[in-house]
Amino acid sequence: MSSKGRNLAEVRNLLQSCNGFNSEQTKKFYDSEAETYEQDFVDTLEFRAPHQLIDLLVANFSGDRGTVQVLDVACGTGLVAKLMFKLGFRNFVGVDCSERMLEEAAKTKLYQELQPALLGTEPLPAQTGTFDLVILVGGLGVGFAPVSVIRELCDAAKPGGLICLARGNHTSSAEKEFGTNLEGELQLLEDGGLWSRVAVQQVERYMLDPQVEASRRDEGPVYITGSLYLYQKTCSSEGNSQNKKI
């Protein structure tokens, strides 16, 4: 991976230029960003969501980390798998819209399988009821994975499996509307007995705000908050059986 990343102003300008992108344009963006993604996002934008969500997961997980099957959706360069591997997880399947990102993820040698898919346009390439853990960090938003993918994530989990989501609370009107629709979909699945809520957590300093105006940068770093969600898939198709402890 290239060691040459962008500075904060360059990354913010780059992301602001992506406003209004559709999913195909977003795919092309991440193809071009793959080699410097970790420097630009983790180092420069202080993207903390993978750590925050994994902390929430391990606090609520008591299964055998070495044997559970993990589906890492919007896996990017493999950030989530690298963190989870350090904690004893060993079995990963990754999905991402960007072929270049998948090439970077393959370099980690942590994934048993890597599959391309443009979420919302193409079906999630995962067999129903296969995974103990389904994780999506940061891929939910306007121009990214749509709200409709939530049901696919639930479908991919085994009965009793965990679905783990992280999303930044971006402040544009379009993102706020997306967040409202997302919350509605999460509740619909809960009301329908497809899963139960394990934990929902609001976190500070999810990442530096990529939309902050240049005139405000001298006032100090401005962060957005994030929302973390952890659900457990119901153990029966009827949605009324007791969930098992993961």
Side-chain angles (χ1 to χ4, degrees), residues 9-21:
E10 290 171 333
V11 173
R12 280 174 163 155
N13 289 337
L14 180 66
L15 290 179
Q16 288 175 12
S17 72
C18 298
N19 287 343
F21 272 13

Side-chain angles (χ1 to χ4, degrees), residues 97-127:
C97 68
S98 166
E99 293 278 7
R100 294 289 304 280
M101 285 286 200
L102 292 174
E103 290 172 7
E104 295 297 328
K107 294 176 184 179
T108 69
K109 301 186 184 302
L110 297 179
Y111 292 91
Q112 283 70 56
E113 187 177 356
L114 289 162
Q115 292 282 350
L118 190 60
L119 300 177
T121 301
E122 301 168 343
L124 181 68
Q127 187 174 354

Side-chain angles (χ1 to χ4, degrees), residues 39-142:
Q39 292 89 347
D40 290 346
F41 280 74
V42 179
D43 298 338
T44 303
L45 277 182
E46 301 181 30
F47 182 54
R48 297 171 179 171
H51 293 85
Q52 292 167 332
L53 188 61
I54 297 310
D55 285 347
L56 180 64
L57 168 63
V58 298
N60 291 276
F61 181 82
S62 60
D64 184 347
R65 299 181 185 183
T67 61
V68 295
Q69 300 295 315
V70 181
L71 179 63
D72 184 7
V73 183
C75 65
T77 57
L79 283 173
V80 167
K82 286 187 281 189
L83 289 174
M84 294 183 71
F85 186 84
K86 291 178 181 178
L87 296 172
F89 296 91
R90 291 293 180 267
N91 304 297
F92 303 96
V93 172
V95 176
D96 201 272
C97 68
S98 166
E99 293 278 7
R100 294 289 304 280
M101 285 286 200
L102 292 174
E103 290 172 7
E104 295 297 328
K107 294 176 184 179
T108 69
K109 301 186 184 302
L110 297 179
Y111 292 91
Q112 283 70 56
E113 187 177 356
L114 289 162
Q115 292 282 350
L118 190 60
L119 300 177
T121 301
E122 301 168 343
L124 181 68
Q127 187 174 354
T128 298
T130 302
F131 294 92
D132 301 284
L133 301 174
V134 178
I135 298 180
L136 175 55
V137 178
L140 289 164
V142 178

Side-chain angles (χ1 to χ4, degrees), residues 27-28 62 91-92 127 144 177 185:
K27 174 184 179 298
K28 292 178 180 179
S62 60
N91 304 297
F92 303 96
Q127 187 174 354
F144 295 86
E177 181 181 0
E185 182 70 1

